[in-house]
Amino acid sequence: MSEYSVRAEWERLSAVRVHTPGLELWSGSLAPEANLFEDHVPPEQARREHERLVETLESTHVEVHRLAEDLAGDALDELTRDALETGDVDRVDDVLAAFSPREKLQVVLSRPSLTPETTADGGTDGASVTLDSPISNVYFQRDTTIVGDRGPILCHMSKPIRRREEPIVKRAWESIGADLRYEMTGEPLEGGEFMPAGEFALLGVSAEVDGEEHVIRTSYEAGERLMREGAVGYDEFGLVRAPLEADRTHRVDRGLGSRVMHLLGWFNIAAEGLAVLDADLAEAADVDVYRKRGDIYEHSHTTSTLEYVRDERGFDVIDVAAGERWPTNFLAIDDGTVIPLYEPDEDGEYRPENNPTIEALRDRGVTILPDGVGIPRAALTNGAGGLHCMTTPIARE
């Protein structure tokens, strides 16, 4: 097994990678739809909220890797030099000598170009800086990597605007000495679709509508390729069809936000044997279960995701309330210890009646961090993701 691997979501999180958003966030903040955000993300609020997540992780003795620090050195200097030279910035060596790793990464992600303002006598009087399609989504670190039982898998993002993250994340893994188990090409695959569960793992894949494939973020072929190429080694591997029609019926048509962009939008694991899910969607979502025989995965059977997890695998399940926006987007720190997002009242306070899933978790004996309630949902989630989306597990033990 690779040093950088995850067998089960409930195992102790020993190391995690994050990226606190910086200058690159401004593009997504001011033009949310064009950058795949749900709404405006106030940058300074987002930075403060993210730092609170980092502080909570560090308080549990998880080794927190910041993307910039993992890249620091030759890899980050090369990326920064390319960005500066492309943007016609002078004295690149001086910038590299003076800037911190975080500042260098903001250059890479923001892609600035410099235009000096000239005076009538041929001199200069200030300069204009243009940011060329900044990479605003990179604080959602989960999406670009799957970390399974055989090591890291570099994903291939569904949306072209996010594919520019892939080479940066690849360099980060290389910089810490990790060998990628597999690198997806040609087929969309995103990390928010993956859920490891010990002897089995689930991967959310395209919906099937009227007999035709409807790819949301990950294709069925991508899941088949992971099995075929030996990228994963779980005893069973389930390809979960996105319950697109049920999502429309139960949520979108009722004015509630969709949950099917990724599997994580409606399914997570809080402890060994305890799943948190949207039961309407889980009942509607078919899962094709493949069983490993030697080095080959063979299709075993098809059932609903609810029946597979609850009845075949014996999990207790918590059915989330319809009105909750991000009830499954929590991060498991250990078996039965999670960091969730809570829905604050108008004063920013926690109220049990507004957070039935957190209350159900507490009733099952799950430890909620921080402060027994979690972190209030605010600016960061306007980017269309929660705490789980903002972290990449480097290793669980």
Side-chain angles (χ1 to χ4, degrees), residues 193 203-207 214 216 218-223 239-242:
E193 303 275 26
L203 182 74
V205 296
S206 48
H214 184 99
I216 300 175
T218 296
S219 70
Y220 196 96
E221 168 60 26
L239 301 186
V240 180
R241 291 285 192 180

Side-chain angles (χ1 to χ4, degrees), residues 25 46 63 67 69 87 170 291 391:
L25 187 62
E63 180 184 330
L67 179 62
E69 298 295 339
K170 181 178 180 179
R291 187 164 296 148
T391 58

Side-chain angles (χ1 to χ4, degrees), residues 59-175:
S59 74
T60 66
H61 306 293
V62 173
E63 180 184 330
V64 178
H65 289 230
R66 294 182 183 266
L67 179 62
E69 298 295 339
D70 279 356
L71 284 164
D74 291 345
L76 185 54
D77 283 356
E78 290 171 12
L79 291 168
T80 307
R81 181 180 294 278
D82 287 346
L84 292 172
E85 290 179 348
T86 300
D88 292 325
V89 177
D90 294 331
R91 299 174 60 189
V92 171
D93 289 338
D94 291 343
V95 173
L96 294 176
F99 278 29
S100 70
R102 175 167 169 77
E103 290 163 341
K104 291 175 185 177
L105 182 57
Q106 288 186 66
V107 168
V108 173
L109 298 176
S110 300
R111 304 175 2 144
S113 59
L114 198 64
T115 305
E117 302 290 343
T118 58
T119 61
D121 60 2
T124 58
D125 184 22
S128 297
V129 176
T130 303
L131 306 184
D132 181 16
S133 300
I135 306 174
S136 293
N137 308 79
V138 75
Y139 76 92
F140 291 121
Q141 279 289 287
R142 178 77 54 158
D143 295 338
T144 47
T145 308
I146 285 173
V147 183
D149 60 340
R150 290 184 169 178
I153 298 164
L154 187 67
C155 296
H156 181 56
M157 304 302 290
S158 172
K159 304 298 183 181
I161 193 173
R162 297 207 61 186
R163 291 177 190 160
R164 291 174 295 160
E165 299 172 42
E166 296 168 21
I168 298 170
V169 172
K170 181 178 180 179
R171 295 293 292 271
W173 284 107
E174 293 171 345
S175 294

Side-chain angles (χ1 to χ4, degrees), residues 281-295:
L281 301 185
E283 187 172 20
D286 284 343
V287 54
D288 291 338
V289 180
Y290 289 81
R291 187 164 296 148
K292 197 166 187 290
R293 302 186 188 280
D295 295 330

Side-chain angles (χ1 to χ4, degrees), residues 10-31:
W10 59 80
E11 292 178 333
R12 186 179 72 83
L13 183 64
S14 54
V16 67
R17 179 182 293 137
V18 300
H19 171 66
T20 300
L23 178 62
E24 78 283 350
L25 187 62
W26 278 92
S27 176
S29 299
L30 298 176

Side-chain angles (χ1 to χ4, degrees), residues 228-299:
R228 190 166 60 244
E229 299 294 333
V232 293
Y234 300 93
D235 293 344
E236 289 187 346
F237 199 66
L239 301 186
V240 180
R241 291 285 192 180
L244 187 59
E245 292 299 323
D247 185 62
R248 288 172 178 162
T249 300
H250 293 289
R251 300 197 56 77
V252 178
D253 290 348
R254 294 166 58 191
L256 302 172
S258 173
R259 285 180 171 159
V260 299
M261 179 171 67
H262 291 137
L263 175 65
L264 183 64
W266 56 272
F267 184 96
N268 203 344
I269 294 175
E272 185 171 6
L274 178 60
V276 181
L277 49 77
D278 182 319
D280 289 329
L281 301 185
E283 187 172 20
D286 284 343
V287 54
D288 291 338
V289 180
Y290 289 81
R291 187 164 296 148
K292 197 166 187 290
R293 302 186 188 280
D295 295 330
I296 299 173
Y297 279 97
E298 298 177 353
H299 182 259

Side-chain angles (χ1 to χ4, degrees), residues 2 15 38 41 43 55 89 102 132 158 219 280 293 319-320 325 368 380 392 395:
S2 167
E38 287 188 346
V41 184
E55 289 170 4
V89 177
R102 175 167 169 77
D132 181 16
S158 172
S219 70
D280 289 329
R293 302 186 188 280
D319 182 15
V320 301
R325 184 66 186 97
I368 307 296
L380 278 171
T392 289

